[in-house]
Amino acid sequence: MAADDRLLTFHPRMVAAMSAGMGLSVIAVFGVIWFRLPPDARETFSWFQRITLLAFFGAVLWILYRMATLRVTAYADRLRVRNVFKSYTLKWSDVTALRFRPGDAWLQLFDADENRLGILAVQAAEGARASRAAKELAAVAREHGAGPKNAGPKKPTPRS
């Protein structure tokens, strides 16, 4: 899909900045430690140990990258949420509620199956910017059919 059909995109600035800073720090610390080791000390590391260190280093950098790229994007027909470990795409008809109450760490989405999904891109740490984004996203959601589904008239419960 083209970028033009996006109605709203939000990503946290503070988390991205912190993740980038931490990533650069990790690279610097690992690099300095490795290259400050005397060559004979580096030789004591087996290939398995080196691969393990690189795998750990890569995993940390991958998690920091995913944190730096958190986002929520609203389209006319769907909502796309990118969290740290998983991304979600929901049709507007599957979204029943968005909630961002004082004290919540991030925006909460409730789907048609009554599952709760945290939208990590809209975090309380962003302050007023996140509150505005939550309100704008809720307005877009209402405009495109999100909200509680009317189950019709309630059936009377039998009395004993």
Side-chain angles (χ1 to χ4, degrees), residues 34-117:
W34 183 255
F35 290 109
R36 294 287 293 162
L37 284 175
D40 58 323
R42 278 188 258 159
E43 298 286 326
T44 64
F45 284 86
S46 71
W47 280 107
F48 178 75
Q49 290 170 325
R50 290 176 188 212
I51 290 170
T52 302
L53 283 172
L54 287 174
F56 174 75
F57 179 66
V60 169
L61 289 178
W62 180 80
I63 290 169
L64 289 171
Y65 165 75
R66 289 291 295 202
M67 289 177 67
T69 58
L70 295 173
R71 73 183 69 259
V72 59
T73 306
Y75 298 90
D77 60 339
R78 69 194 184 288
L79 180 69
R80 181 91 174 128
V81 178
R82 181 178 175 135
N83 281 343
V84 176
F85 294 108
K86 192 171 179 185
S87 295
Y88 303 87
T89 301
L90 296 112
K91 294 183 289 187
W92 287 116
S93 59
D94 293 336
V95 177
T96 58
L98 291 167
R99 184 173 63 206
F100 192 46
R101 295 182 177 161
D104 285 350
W106 45 73
L107 180 65
Q108 302 290 317
L109 178 145
F110 295 88
D111 69 9
D113 297 327
E114 298 180 16
N115 296 313
R116 180 175 36 183
L117 169 67

Side-chain angles (χ1 to χ4, degrees), residues 3-34:
D4 319 66
D5 64 348
R6 286 186 230 161
L7 302 174
L8 174 73
T9 297
F10 184 81
H11 53 89
R13 292 178 186 154
M14 289 179 20
V15 173
M18 295 289 290
S19 297
M22 289 177 68
L24 292 173
S25 297
V26 166
I27 290 169
V29 168
F30 271 84
V32 166
I33 289 172
W34 183 255

Side-chain angles (χ1 to χ4, degrees), residues 128-145:
R129 184 172 176 266
S131 295
R132 277 191 309 276
K135 289 175 186 170
E136 289 173 17
L137 187 58
V140 169
R142 280 189 302 275
E143 286 175 22
H144 291 87

